[in-house]
Amino acid sequence: QLQLVESGGGLVQPGGSLRLSCAASGFTLDYYAIAWFRQAPGKEREGVSCMGRSDSNTYYADSVKGRFTISRDNAKNTVYLQMNSLKPEDTAVYYCAADVVQAMCVPYEYDYWGQGTQVTVSS
């Protein structure tokens, strides 16, 4: 059974850092496009960062460029999102997602999803 499980969310002060993890089971992540999305209360789910198979074609939303970094560890079958210089507007539930085919960094292009992890940036 294909499964994605996120962890690493929490409460952090503005300017702080967090690293989100997404552990995959039931499939090999290196063969899949991977992504991080987020959804704040009352807002649509948006693409934060997406990466193609074998780390090709990396995308970042303008709002996170220079602050967030997506990566994968094939040995651990895990995807990461390193988030630095966090801002209150980064507060959201963060989801990892995967799909066999890399397309646009939009939710409907991804078939496999984790349950989400809450990130709150507040003083």
Side-chain angles (χ1 to χ4, degrees):
Q1 181 179 357
L2 193 149
Q3 191 174 16
L4 295 168
V5 178
E6 300 101 332
S7 61
L11 173 64
V12 62
Q13 291 187 343
S17 298
L18 280 176
R19 188 178 77 158
L20 305 183
S21 300
C22 174
S25 60
F27 68 108
T28 302
L29 265 180
D30 192 37
Y31 300 148
Y32 284 72
I34 56 173
W36 287 94
F37 293 88
R38 67 185 181 187
Q39 188 165 19
K43 294 189 176 182
E44 293 186 355
R45 193 169 298 188
E46 64 172 351
V48 174
S49 181
C50 297
M51 179 185 286
R53 289 181 286 184
S54 300
D55 298 353
S56 62
N57 301 328
T58 304
Y59 161 88
Y60 292 96
D62 287 342
S63 58
V64 307
K65 277 181 184 175
R67 300 188 298 123
F68 290 12
T69 304
I70 189 172
S71 63
R72 79 175 94 200
D73 184 332
N74 293 331
K76 295 182 179 180
N77 214 29
T78 299
V79 178
Y80 301 99
L81 184 69
Q82 177 67 43
M83 306 186 295
N84 299 327
S85 302
L86 283 161
K87 305 175 181 180
E89 51 264 43
D90 295 319
T91 296
V93 177
Y94 283 71
Y95 300 89
C96 69
D99 200 86
V100 173
V101 179
Q102 182 190 28
M104 296 182 291
C105 196
V106 292
Y108 64 77
E109 293 286 356
Y110 286 80
D111 285 339
Y112 306 107
W113 290 83
Q115 81 289 352
T117 185
Q118 176 70 47
V119 171
T120 302
V121 184
S122 175
S123 56

